[in-house]
Amino acid sequence: MTDLNKIAEGYITAWNESDADRRAELLKATFTEDVSYRDPLMQGDGHQGVAALIDGVQQRFAGFRFSLKGRPDGFADKIRFSWNLGPEGTPSVIEGTDIGVIENGRLKSITGFLDKVPAQ
């Protein structure tokens, strides 16, 4: 049986990892080689594509950290989990919910939804 907590925690850990080599190892453990990521603002494919997205988010939101919001749930090959993003120790600035497809214990695709974004 797939451990949804482990998958969601691996995902969050990968998005928080700033060291490129360590992140590459986390991506291999958490995502399939042909992973596809889509949200309203960005998209990327494969480990390199997702790594580039993470780099971009870390540059734009320097000092911010992702954290899980609540507990992940899912059924069959699907996972759903929510997350927070903001400076550590303060209320989140951005929140979202991601839906993933799991293949052999790793994420094959992720569709992200933004639940809370700062006013522009």
Side-chain angles (χ1 to χ4, degrees):
M1 182 167 181
T2 302
D3 184 340
L4 300 178
N5 289 315
K6 182 179 176 184
I7 291 171
E9 288 168 4
Y11 178 91
I12 295 296
T13 301
W15 278 86
N16 283 331
E17 181 56 60
S18 58
D19 179 87
D21 292 333
R22 288 180 44 175
R23 185 184 319 124
E25 291 303 314
L26 291 166
L27 292 174
K28 287 178 189 174
T30 306
F31 302 95
T32 62
E33 293 291 328
D34 60 344
V35 63
S36 170
Y37 178 95
R38 304 285 183 272
D39 75 21
L41 302 175
M42 56 189 187
Q43 62 184 28
D45 296 303
H47 292 171
Q48 289 183 335
V50 173
L53 298 178
I54 294 171
D55 281 335
V57 168
Q58 288 184 1
Q59 289 174 18
R60 182 166 182 200
F61 300 102
F64 283 31
R65 303 283 294 170
F66 284 92
S67 62
L68 281 177
K69 180 180 177 182
R71 294 183 54 86
D73 66 352
F75 64 93
D77 65 345
K78 307 294 187 289
I79 184 173
R80 174 180 66 174
F81 56 93
S82 296
W83 48 264
N84 301 301
L85 176 63
E88 224 168 333
T90 66
S92 59
V93 176
I94 301 169
E95 297 176 5
T97 299
D98 290 357
I99 310 292
V101 175
I102 302 166
E103 182 179 273
N104 297 320
R106 297 188 297 163
L107 290 164
K108 182 171 179 61
S109 71
I110 302 98
T111 303
F113 297 87
L114 300 173
D115 302 329
K116 173 184 168 185
V117 293
Q120 299 272 337

